Amino acid sequence: MNELADLYLQLGSAGFIALLFGFMIFNLIQSQKEQNIDLDEIKTSIHKMESVLDNALNINVKLIDRMNVSDKDREIFWRELSDDLAFIKGRINGNSK
């Protein structure tokens, strides 16, 4: 506390206010640097999340395409099975083709 009083006596009120203003500017610069570091970390995290989401989206699209192909194959199988059963039913009932 004595240091502040001695500083005030040497510089006067205008000098002391200028010194406090300089100290405030210095603290603002330091906090701005810390915020920039935090923002850079957030940016890198966002880029990582974007790549993970892109990969997940690509995997989901591939799975949907695979299921569509599987559904087509299953539909063809059931259609052929239905045709074969209809043929056998016709043969059993005495209708020949």
Side-chain angles (χ1 to χ4, degrees), residues 85-96:
L85 287 174
F87 176 75
I88 293 171
K89 184 179 177 184
R91 295 294 283 194
I92 291 173
N93 290 333
N95 299 334
S96 59

Short mmCIF file of all heavy atoms in Angstrom, two decimals, residues 85-96:
data_model
loop_
_atom_site.label_atom_id
_atom_site.label_comp_id
_atom_site.label_asym_id
_atom_site.label_seq_id
_atom_site.Cartn_x
_atom_site.Cartn_y
_atom_site.Cartn_z
N LEU A 85 -44.26 -71.26 -56.34
CA LEU A 85 -45.39 -71.84 -55.59
C LEU A 85 -46.67 -71.83 -56.41
O LEU A 85 -47.46 -72.78 -56.36
CB LEU A 85 -45.59 -71.08 -54.27
CG LEU A 85 -44.54 -71.34 -53.19
CD1 LEU A 85 -44.78 -70.42 -52.00
CD2 LEU A 85 -44.55 -72.78 -52.76
N ALA A 86 -46.88 -70.77 -57.16
CA ALA A 86 -48.08 -70.71 -58.01
C ALA A 86 -48.01 -71.79 -59.08
O ALA A 86 -49.02 -72.43 -59.40
CB ALA A 86 -48.20 -69.33 -58.64
N PHE A 87 -46.83 -72.05 -59.63
CA PHE A 87 -46.66 -73.10 -60.64
C PHE A 87 -46.95 -74.46 -60.04
O PHE A 87 -47.68 -75.28 -60.60
CB PHE A 87 -45.25 -73.04 -61.22
CG PHE A 87 -44.96 -74.13 -62.19
CD1 PHE A 87 -45.49 -74.10 -63.48
CD2 PHE A 87 -44.17 -75.23 -61.83
CE1 PHE A 87 -45.23 -75.11 -64.36
CE2 PHE A 87 -43.91 -76.24 -62.71
CZ PHE A 87 -44.42 -76.18 -64.01
N ILE A 88 -46.37 -74.71 -58.85
CA ILE A 88 -46.59 -76.00 -58.18
C ILE A 88 -48.06 -76.18 -57.82
O ILE A 88 -48.65 -77.26 -57.99
CB ILE A 88 -45.69 -76.12 -56.94
CG1 ILE A 88 -44.23 -76.19 -57.36
CG2 ILE A 88 -46.07 -77.32 -56.09
CD1 ILE A 88 -43.25 -76.11 -56.21
N LYS A 89 -48.70 -75.12 -57.33
CA LYS A 89 -50.12 -75.19 -57.01
C LYS A 89 -50.96 -75.52 -58.25
O LYS A 89 -51.89 -76.31 -58.18
CB LYS A 89 -50.57 -73.87 -56.40
CG LYS A 89 -52.01 -73.83 -55.94
CD LYS A 89 -52.33 -72.49 -55.33
CE LYS A 89 -53.80 -72.43 -54.93
NZ LYS A 89 -54.15 -71.10 -54.41
N GLY A 90 -50.59 -74.90 -59.34
CA GLY A 90 -51.30 -75.18 -60.60
C GLY A 90 -51.09 -76.62 -61.03
O GLY A 90 -52.01 -77.27 -61.53
N ARG A 91 -49.92 -77.16 -60.87
CA ARG A 91 -49.63 -78.54 -61.25
C ARG A 91 -50.41 -79.49 -60.35
O ARG A 91 -50.89 -80.55 -60.80
CB ARG A 91 -48.14 -78.84 -61.14
CG ARG A 91 -47.24 -78.07 -62.08
CD ARG A 91 -47.47 -78.45 -63.50
NE ARG A 91 -46.84 -79.74 -63.76
CZ ARG A 91 -46.64 -80.22 -64.93
NH1 ARG A 91 -47.03 -79.55 -66.00
NH2 ARG A 91 -46.07 -81.38 -65.08
N ILE A 92 -50.48 -79.16 -59.06
CA ILE A 92 -51.20 -80.03 -58.12
C ILE A 92 -52.70 -80.05 -58.47
O ILE A 92 -53.35 -81.09 -58.42
CB ILE A 92 -50.98 -79.59 -56.67
CG1 ILE A 92 -49.53 -79.86 -56.26
CG2 ILE A 92 -51.93 -80.28 -55.71
CD1 ILE A 92 -49.15 -79.30 -54.91
N ASN A 93 -53.25 -78.92 -58.82
CA ASN A 93 -54.69 -78.82 -59.13
C ASN A 93 -55.00 -79.36 -60.52
O ASN A 93 -56.15 -79.39 -60.91
CB ASN A 93 -55.16 -77.37 -59.01
CG ASN A 93 -55.19 -76.91 -57.58
OD1 ASN A 93 -55.36 -77.70 -56.66
ND2 ASN A 93 -55.04 -75.62 -57.38
N GLY A 94 -54.01 -79.75 -61.27
CA GLY A 94 -54.24 -80.37 -62.56
C GLY A 94 -54.11 -79.42 -63.73
O GLY A 94 -54.34 -79.81 -64.86
N ASN A 95 -53.77 -78.21 -63.51
CA ASN A 95 -53.56 -77.29 -64.64
C ASN A 95 -52.14 -77.43 -65.13
O ASN A 95 -51.20 -77.30 -64.39
CB ASN A 95 -53.81 -75.85 -64.22
CG ASN A 95 -55.22 -75.60 -63.72
OD1 ASN A 95 -56.13 -76.33 -64.13
ND2 ASN A 95 -55.41 -74.61 -62.89
N SER A 96 -51.98 -77.75 -66.34
CA SER A 96 -50.63 -77.86 -66.89
C SER A 96 -50.38 -76.70 -67.83
O SER A 96 -51.25 -76.28 -68.56
CB SER A 96 -50.44 -79.19 -67.62
OG SER A 96 -51.38 -79.27 -68.67
#
